[in-house]
C-alpha cells in the first residue's frame, strides 16, 4: 500500500496518507492506456466536414447534348462526378467519431496512469487547496512553493472550487478539475499531479 507525505500550500509536510493499492499501485498496461487516450481524443472530433454529391451540386438540370448523333460520349448532367465542377464520389460527410470502451477497461486505464505518477514521484497530496480571493498571482506563488510554475501541472479537488478555478484560468501550464472529472489524457499530459486529501478519499470511494 503506497504511503505519501501530505503537504500544505506552503510545501510544508503536515502528515502522511496511505493510498489504496487497488488504485495507486497497479501495473502499467500501455495498450489499454493508449486505447483510452484515443477514445477520449476521438470524442473531441467535430466530424463536420462535408462534400457534395451530384445531387447536392447546383445546376445540371438540362442534358448537355442529345443522346445520339454528336459523336461524343453520352452525358445526362454537367454535375456528374466525372466533370469539372461536378459532385464528389464517396466524399466525407458529417459523422460521429466517438467510440466507447468497457467500463472496467476505462477504470483500469485510469488506475494505471495514477499508479505511474505515484511510482515516478509525480503525484503530490495536499492537505487543502483554496484561496481567499480569485487572484492569479496567489496561484502562481503557490506553484512556486512547489517549483511547478514552469511545468504542466494538474490540480484535482473533490469539487470545483470557484476561487481556485478562477485563479488558474489564465495560466497555460495549470489545469484544475474535480475528482469526478478525472481522465487519462489530463493525467498523462501533466508533469505533476496535485490531489487534495478529500479528492483522494473521493477517488478511492468511486474507483475502489
Amino acid at each position: 500500500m503506497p504511503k505519501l507525505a501530505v503537504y500544505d500550500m506552503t510545501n510544508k509536510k503536515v502528515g502522511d496518507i496511505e493510498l489504496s493499492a487497488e488504485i495507486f499501485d497497479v501495473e502499467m498496461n500501455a495498450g489499454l492506456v493508449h486505447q483510452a487516450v484515443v477514445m477520449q481524443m476521438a470524442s473531441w472530433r467535430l466530424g463536420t466536414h462535408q462534400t457534395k454529391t451530384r445531387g447536392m451540386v447546383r445546376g445540371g438540370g438540362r442534358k448537355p447534348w442529345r443522346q445520339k448523333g454528336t459523336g461524343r460520349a453520352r452525358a445526362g448532367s454537367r454535375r456528374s462526378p466525372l466533370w469539372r465542377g461536378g459532385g464528389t464520389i464517396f466524399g466525407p460527410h458529417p459523422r460521429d467519431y466517438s467510440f466507447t470502451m468497457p467500463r472496467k477497461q476505462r477504470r483500469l486505464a485510469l488506475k494505471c496512469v495514477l499508479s505511474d505518477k505515484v511510482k515516478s514521484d509525480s503525484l503530490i497530496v495536499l492537505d487543502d487547496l483554496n484561496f481567499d480571493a480569485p487572484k492569479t498571482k496567489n496561484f502562481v506563488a503557490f506553484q512556486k512553493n512547489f517549483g511547478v510554475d514552469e511545468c504542466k501541472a494538474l490540480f484535482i479537488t473533490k469539487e470545483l472550487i470557484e476561487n481556485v478555478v478562477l485563479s488558474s484560468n489564465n495560466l497555460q501550464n495549470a489545469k484544475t478539475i474535480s475528482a469526478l472529472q478525472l481522465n487519462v489524457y489530463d493525467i498523462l499530459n501533466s508533469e505533476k499531479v496535485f490531489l487534495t486529501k478529500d479528492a483522494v478519499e473521493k477517488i478511492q470511494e468511486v474507483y475502489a
Side-chain angles (χ1 to χ4, degrees):
M1 183 175 290
K3 186 175 182 180
L4 295 181
V6 179
Y7 298 91
D8 62 14
M9 293 178 62
T10 63
N11 198 7
K12 181 181 178 181
K13 183 178 177 180
V14 294
D16 295 294
I17 186 172
E18 288 189 352
L19 304 177
S20 171
E22 186 181 347
I23 299 173
F24 295 95
D25 192 15
V26 176
E27 186 178 349
M28 174 58 78
N29 185 329
L32 198 61
V33 171
H34 176 265
Q35 188 177 354
V37 172
V38 171
M39 179 194 71
Q40 190 170 343
M41 296 180 74
S43 69
W44 296 340
R45 296 186 67 177
L46 296 178
T48 53
H49 39 267
Q50 168 74 303
T51 53
K52 292 183 178 181
T53 63
R54 64 183 297 164
M56 299 175 182
V57 179
R58 183 181 178 184
R62 179 188 175 191
K63 187 175 174 66
W65 51 76
R66 60 195 175 99
Q67 183 81 347
K68 293 178 178 295
T70 65
R72 288 182 288 187
R74 294 170 291 186
S77 170
R78 293 183 182 275
R79 293 304 174 231
S80 165
L82 303 179
W83 287 46
R84 182 176 180 272
T88 302
I89 304 174
F90 304 132
H93 297 287
R95 56 168 288 193
D96 181 11
Y97 284 92
S98 64
F99 63 93
T100 58
M101 291 171 58
R103 182 183 178 190
K104 286 185 178 180
Q105 289 188 357
R106 294 198 308 268
R107 291 196 165 197
L108 180 56
L110 197 57
K111 294 174 182 179
C112 286
V113 291
L114 284 172
S115 300
D116 184 63
K117 290 297 181 183
V118 173
K119 292 171 184 175
S120 62
D121 294 325
S122 299
L123 191 142
I124 300 168
V125 181
L126 298 173
D127 184 47
D128 189 28
L129 177 58
N130 205 345
F131 299 98
D132 296 331
K135 289 187 177 181
T136 303
K137 68 177 183 180
N138 291 343
F139 200 95
V140 172
F142 157 66
Q143 285 182 296
K144 287 183 178 179
N145 289 336
F146 288 88
V148 296
D149 52 311
E150 297 294 335
C151 66
K152 285 187 177 181
L154 179 66
F155 301 88
I156 305 168
T157 53
K158 182 179 180 181
E159 297 174 346
L160 289 178
I161 303 170
E162 185 178 8
N163 285 349
V164 176
V165 174
L166 293 177
S167 298
S168 62
N169 269 352
N170 290 334
L171 301 173
Q172 292 184 349
N173 57 354
K175 183 171 184 179
T176 306
I177 62 174
S178 70
L180 294 180
Q181 294 175 318
L182 205 60
N183 63 87
V184 173
Y185 180 86
D186 280 338
I187 296 174
L188 283 179
N189 195 40
S190 304
E191 297 174 52
K192 293 286 184 180
V193 176
F194 289 79
L195 277 167
T196 58
K197 281 181 67 176
D198 53 0
V200 172
E201 293 170 1
K202 185 66 175 179
I203 291 170
Q204 293 184 156
E205 176 188 338
V206 172
Y207 295 100

